[in-house]
Amino acid sequence: MSQWKQIQQLEIRLLEHVDYLYDDNFPMDIRQGLASWIESQDWDTAVNDESMASVLFTNLLSQLEKVRLQELNFLQRHNMKIIQQQLQVKYLTNPTVMARVISTCLREEQRILSSACTQEQGPLEKSLQNSVAFERQKNMDNRVGIIRNNVQLMDQAVKYIEDMQEDFDFRYKTLQSRETSDKNSDMMKQEVPRLQEMLNRLDFKRKEIVSKMSIVIKDIDDLMTSQLNPELQDWKRRQQIAAIGGPLLTGLEQLQGWFTLTAQSLFQIKRQLDKLGELVVKVTYESDPIPLQKPQMEERIKYLIYHLTKSSFVVEKQPCMPTHPQRPLIIKTGVQFTTKVRLLVKLPEVDYQLKVKTTFDKDLPPGRVSRQFFILTNNTKVMDIEDYSNGCLSVEFRHLLKERKYINGTKGNEGLLSVTEELHSLSFEACFTVQGLTIDLETCSLPLVVISNVSQLAGGWASVMWYNFLSDEPRNLAFFGNPPRANWSELAEVLSWQFSTFAGLGLNKEQLTMLGEKLFGQYPSCSDYQVSWSKFSKENILGKPFSFWMWLDSILELIKKHLLPVWNENYIMGFVSKEMERALLKDREPGTFLLRFSESHLGGITFTWVQHGDNGEVKFNSVEPYTKSRLSALPFADIIRDYKVISDGVVPKNPLKFLYPDIPKDEAFGRLYNSQPSKVYPYIASTLIPISELRQSANIPPPSCRSPEPPMTPGEFDMLNAQLCFDMDDMGSPYSE
């Protein structure tokens, strides 16, 4: 079943998350119409390969045109034509952006499917779901809408006062222009009370509008303090969690809508106050409420506009190297990274030549880090309006970072922290004037780790994870001076996210239990069991030359590059210990095997099978772990299919019969076998055969299995067979034809 069909069968709660994935950047119509084709393309590779991305973009347009021509509904054909045109405008000159968008959508779909298979959500994800509760958003929408409606009504009230004042002003000036003799006439005596009545009504309306304005300003102030700012902080927290593999970050467009509508209300009230000021110049009187209260309201409006706009300047996309899109906030010197800032408020009458300046490690205290860096490329760009951002300003930077060289050889306070524990920051600054109000904008990225060698990537990512799930501070660069401990329940959830991000399938409860036993020696008795930063990332596992995280990260890399199909079928038990492995297999049919990751090798996978001796003795055989060097030569599913054991004169055979608990091997792995025949004619097709030699002798204990030899060609296999005096006809080898 295709991934898209599985998505359509999800419950409504999860389908709402899917809905967030698709917008004008990648319409759901395309995902629906080209589901199978989209899933069969390698978008991940295209993200970093512009020529491949260009080919995929051209092919996507061709596929879309075919679907459009086959569509019978005229309206649908029209809509698809519009989509084609929009895609060409967006991605023709930068197809890698399209590849990144589609890659992200597919990866998030996999995560959602994975979460559907998980019975319980972790504590972090539960807290995030609570923070974006529908009722809260609905309440926010209603409150912003009420304020906008009240401001519109005040516009009408100000216009009514203006009309009333013009009428009063005309009558009053007419009375003033009369001759002295006329002023004593009966008509004039009647006009004076009428003017007094008009002035009283005008005074009442002025007091009324000033009172209403004061109430609305207080409502906006309360909205910003009690709801809008908390929503912004909540979005920033969810951005942190999304950066380390958590649920997809959504809600920025909605947040932008709230900010913009609130700003529009404030600017509209400011214009209303300006209008009332003009009316006072023409007509005023003793105890006039406008000159008494207008200055305070103007100051409050300016204060609210300033702080609303200042807080709306956010880092939309945290710094990330395009070569490692799943590991943001790590920058390698000399490698380009991208980042993007956005102003959530749509500003009226602003000079759109709004320049943003980036600074690395701004205001960092001397000696705080052992290394210092500077931006090699231009650090200033102009913000621009994006077509899909409803008129809001944004700008994307592409930077290179270089380490500063020191003539005297002294870099600073060396030795306190490792390279991957030093945190840095990228700051963004801008300044502009709107309606006479000068606003200074400043924001910064989440803390960054700077590496100089790709071998430091794993350690850097450990630091990024630890910081972002334990701290909600935007710029605590001293965090690793005294890093806090983590609750195992939350750490386990973050580790599961790493697998769902890299491989599509997260860890189940049993696998997390096994990891807990690996980390603590026994599974923690309660979810609040504390894990130190040192134990997680720095201390070596007992008896091993590597830390827990280095071991786990090497497994992630192995899955991503060599085991993805097998992992996503949930065939790898994973982190089971040798003792548990034997307990699981001992009562199973001979030839039953399970797959687990090596405890003694970095990035290794092995399989163990059970066999029964003639005397009923149960024996276990484990093959030496396969690492990336061996798996690069032969797919793992083919190794399972073709694996052979030579044992003391016995005809080579495949001992693997059933995947634990009782799934026939070919039933489990059949669709994963690489069965494509060789097309290099006139040669006979060749196949690599993985072989192990199992010797039963006094010097080698029966349960052991010698290292698998490098995969053999059929010719090498025949030579070995001849030396061992085996009869090929008796073997029935599929390669003897």
Side-chain angles (χ1 to χ4, degrees):
M1 184 185 298
S2 71
Q3 182 170 302
W4 186 243
K5 286 185 178 179
Q6 294 179 58
I7 287 289
Q8 292 172 310
Q9 295 177 3
L10 294 174
E11 57 182 290
I12 294 177
R13 174 182 65 86
L14 294 171
L15 285 175
E16 288 177 353
H17 290 288
V18 177
D19 186 51
Y20 277 122
L21 298 176
Y22 296 97
D23 52 23
D24 292 342
N25 293 319
F26 185 32
M28 193 178 288
D29 304 64
I30 300 179
R31 183 69 180 95
Q32 172 76 22
L34 303 179
S36 298
W37 182 84
I38 287 173
E39 291 173 26
S40 66
Q41 309 305 309
D42 188 0
W43 301 102
D44 289 341
T45 302
V47 168
N48 300 309
D49 187 335
E50 189 164 352
S51 60
M52 181 179 179
S54 181
V55 170
L56 284 177
F57 176 61
T58 303
N59 291 344
L60 183 141
L61 293 178
S62 300
Q63 293 288 331
L64 199 56
E65 179 66 12
K66 290 179 183 178
V67 173
R68 189 182 73 83
L69 294 175
Q70 294 170 1
E71 177 60 56
L72 299 178
N73 185 291
F74 172 76
L75 182 59
Q76 285 294 328
R77 283 204 308 273
H78 173 76
N79 290 340
M80 295 185 81
K81 185 176 182 180
I82 297 299
I83 289 173
Q84 282 179 285
Q85 294 171 347
Q86 291 175 339
L87 291 178
Q88 286 180 317
V89 171
K90 283 180 180 293
Y91 302 126
L92 185 61
T93 58
N94 200 353
T96 55
V97 175
M98 180 203 70
R100 184 176 296 111
V101 169
I102 298 178
S103 173
T104 301
C105 288
L106 293 177
R107 189 166 60 251
E108 292 304 327
E109 285 181 6
Q110 290 174 347
R111 186 203 305 281
I112 292 169
L113 287 172
S114 177
S115 67
C117 300
T118 305
Q119 294 183 353
E120 293 186 8
Q121 294 174 319
L124 280 173
E125 190 162 350
K126 283 182 180 178
S127 67
L128 292 174
Q129 287 202 347
N130 290 336
S131 69
V132 291
F134 175 73
E135 286 302 321
R136 251 178 65 179
Q137 295 180 359
K138 186 177 179 181
N139 176 269
M140 189 74 176
D141 286 336
N142 290 339
R143 195 169 177 189
V144 171
I146 289 171
I147 289 173
R148 285 295 297 149
N149 185 58
N150 288 338
V151 172
Q152 298 289 0
L153 291 175
M154 288 194 307
D155 247 7
Q156 298 175 22
V158 171
K159 178 66 173 133
Y160 181 79
I161 292 173
E162 183 181 13
D163 293 341
M164 182 187 295
Q165 180 171 310
E166 285 181 358
D167 188 20
F168 172 83
D169 191 46
F170 174 75
R171 287 174 176 270
Y172 181 77
K173 287 180 178 178
T174 300
L175 181 64
Q176 288 291 96
S177 65
R178 300 273 187 178
E179 296 291 338
T180 305
S181 58
D182 293 339
K183 291 181 180 179
N184 296 321
S185 67
D186 292 339
M187 183 180 295
M188 293 303 295
K189 289 179 181 179
Q190 294 175 2
E191 184 69 14
V192 170
R194 197 174 294 127
L195 283 173
Q196 184 62 51
E197 182 183 351
M198 290 181 68
L199 184 60
N200 291 341
R201 286 173 55 205
L202 183 63
D203 179 60
F204 175 80
K205 286 296 182 182
R206 284 189 173 188
K207 288 177 179 177
E208 184 181 56
I209 190 64
V210 167
S211 175
K212 287 181 177 178
M213 279 188 178
S214 179
I215 292 172
V216 173
I217 291 171
K218 287 180 180 178
D219 284 345
I220 294 175
D221 195 347
D222 182 66
L223 174 77
M224 289 172 55
T225 304
S226 65
Q227 287 185 273
L228 196 54
N229 287 337
E231 287 289 345
L232 176 62
Q233 296 309 313
D234 193 75
W235 178 85
K236 290 181 177 180
R237 179 59 181 154
R238 286 185 281 120
Q239 186 185 48
Q240 283 187 272
I241 297 301
I244 57 174
L248 176 70
L249 179 65
T250 58
L252 186 61
E253 300 301 324
Q254 190 172 43
L255 198 60
Q256 176 179 295
W258 294 332
F259 266 86
T260 295
L261 288 174
T262 304
Q264 288 174 350
S265 296
L266 288 170
F267 281 115
Q268 197 166 347
I269 295 173
K270 186 177 183 299
R271 290 193 296 271
Q272 292 167 358
L273 285 170
D274 291 341
K275 187 64 180 177
L276 290 178
E278 294 174 9
L279 295 179
V280 168
V281 173
K282 296 178 181 178
V283 175
T284 189
Y285 47 89
E286 188 177 351
S287 72
D288 186 349
I290 294 176
L292 289 176
Q293 299 185 44
K294 178 174 174 285
Q296 294 93 325
M297 288 193 292
E298 282 182 326
E299 285 303 312
R300 196 61 193 168
I301 286 292
K302 289 179 180 178
Y303 174 86
L304 294 175
I305 289 174
Y306 180 86
H307 286 279
L308 179 73
T309 307
K310 194 174 180 68
S311 64
S312 76
F313 191 47
V314 298
V315 180
E316 180 181 349
K317 294 180 182 177
Q318 294 292 335
C320 181
M321 296 185 292
T323 52
H324 295 84
Q326 294 163 340
R327 291 194 166 177
L329 302 172
I330 299 177
I331 297 174
K332 183 178 179 296
T333 52
V335 174
Q336 186 185 74
F337 67 92
T338 62
T339 185
K340 183 178 180 182
V341 292
R342 185 194 285 201
L343 195 63
L344 298 179
V345 170
K346 180 180 178 181
L347 297 171
E349 304 170 16
V350 68
D351 179 7
Y352 286 122
Q353 289 295 310
L354 203 164
K355 294 182 179 180
V356 179
K357 179 183 177 182
T358 58
T359 308
F360 200 80
D361 280 345
K362 181 189 176 187
D363 301 329
L364 195 66
R368 179 67 193 82
V369 294
S370 64
R371 301 169 301 155
Q372 293 185 15
F373 304 91
F374 63 94
I375 296 172
L376 196 61
T377 46
N378 183 16
N379 68 340
T380 303
K381 285 188 73 173
V382 175
M383 298 190 86
D384 198 4
I385 300 176
E386 291 186 333
D387 295 333
Y388 62 86
S389 65
N390 298 320
C392 288
L393 296 169
S394 66
V395 60
E396 182 172 87
F397 289 92
R398 300 174 186 272
H399 283 323
L400 285 174
L401 205 63
K402 190 171 183 180
E403 185 171 358
R404 195 178 302 279
K405 300 299 181 181
Y406 294 86
I407 298 175
N408 60 6
T410 302
K411 290 186 176 182
N413 199 1
E414 298 188 46
L416 295 180
L417 298 173
S418 69
V419 167
T420 56
E421 290 175 319
E422 280 188 1
L423 299 180
H424 303 266
S425 179
L426 188 65
S427 301
F428 305 88
E429 297 173 287
C431 182
F432 67 97
T433 300
V434 56
Q435 294 192 359
L437 182 63
T438 300
I439 300 176
D440 296 311
L441 300 176
E442 184 173 359
T443 189
C444 65
S445 70
L446 290 168
L448 307 170
V449 174
V450 181
I451 62 176
S452 55
N453 192 293
V454 74
S455 63
Q456 299 166 331
L457 187 66
W461 185 241
S463 297
V464 170
M465 285 193 299
W466 204 262
Y467 181 94
N468 285 289
F469 92 87
L470 288 176
S471 174
D472 58 4
E473 296 182 64
R475 198 171 180 263
N476 181 9
L477 304 186
F479 178 82
F480 283 104
N482 184 25
R485 290 172 172 264
N487 287 339
W488 167 246
S489 59
E490 293 183 348
L491 177 59
E493 186 179 8
V494 173
L495 295 180
S496 180
W497 289 343
Q498 306 315 302
F499 283 83
S500 59
T501 298
F502 276 79
L505 184 65
L507 302 178
N508 57 37
K509 189 175 181 180
E510 290 73 22
Q511 290 168 327
L512 289 172
T513 299
M514 297 173 195
L515 276 183
E517 292 172 349
K518 181 75 176 176
L519 186 58
F520 302 110
Q522 59 181 10
Y523 189 70
S525 56
C526 66
S527 60
D528 291 335
Y529 199 92
Q530 300 281 298
V531 186
S532 70
W533 163 245
S534 181
K535 189 173 184 64
F536 174 74
S537 178
K538 302 179 77 172
E539 297 174 8
N540 286 344
I541 298 173
L542 186 62
K544 304 294 188 299
F546 44 78
S547 68
F548 173 83
W549 169 246
M550 293 304 292
W551 171 73
L552 196 62
D553 183 72
S554 67
I555 290 171
L556 281 166
E557 194 71 14
L558 190 73
I559 292 174
K560 182 180 179 181
K561 293 185 176 179
H562 302 290
L563 301 174
L564 212 51
V566 182
W567 174 261
N568 283 322
E569 291 291 344
N570 210 16
Y571 290 158
I572 302 176
M573 186 165 288
F575 313 103
V576 60
S577 65
K578 293 179 181 178
E579 294 75 15
M580 178 59 70
E581 174 186 70
R582 296 188 177 193
L584 293 172
L585 290 174
K586 67 179 182 179
D587 296 325
R588 294 294 168 180
E589 289 289 323
T592 301
F593 66 100
L594 59 77
L595 310 176
R596 67 175 177 85
F597 298 113
S598 171
E599 296 180 307
S600 57
H601 289 66
L602 283 178
I605 186 169
T606 183
F607 46 82
T608 299
W609 70 93
V610 62
Q611 64 185 60
H612 297 171
D614 295 336
N615 59 356
E617 181 185 4
V618 178
K619 299 179 181 179
F620 304 93
N621 298 297
S622 297
V623 72
E624 184 177 324
Y626 285 90
T627 57
K628 61 182 181 181
S629 59
R630 293 185 180 277
L631 294 174
S632 298
L634 199 61
F636 191 59
D638 288 6
I639 290 174
I640 299 293
R641 178 190 63 191
D642 300 327
Y643 182 73
K644 297 288 189 298
V645 168
I646 300 174
S647 177
D648 292 341
V650 178
V651 174
K653 63 179 182 179
N654 191 330
L656 310 178
K657 305 298 181 185
F658 304 98
L659 177 66
Y660 181 87
D662 54 9
I663 309 173
K665 176 188 64 179
D666 290 337
E667 180 182 320
F669 296 95
R671 59 183 174 278
L672 304 179
Y673 294 154
N674 182 12
S675 57
Q676 296 179 356
S678 172
K679 296 182 180 180
V680 184
Y681 302 108
Y683 300 106
I684 299 173
S686 63
T687 303
L688 299 176
I689 304 173
I691 287 186
S692 293
E693 183 178 1
L694 184 65
R695 293 181 177 176
Q696 309 282 345
S697 68
N699 296 326
I700 302 178
S704 66
C705 182
R706 293 193 63 184
S707 304
E709 300 297 330
M712 296 183 178
T713 65
E716 293 171 329
F717 185 74
D718 290 342
M719 292 175 62
L720 178 62
N721 172 69
Q723 292 175 358
L724 295 174
C725 302
F726 290 135
D727 190 318
M728 288 297 292
D729 294 332
D730 292 340
M731 286 177 61
S733 169
Y735 310 114
S736 59
E737 297 180 2

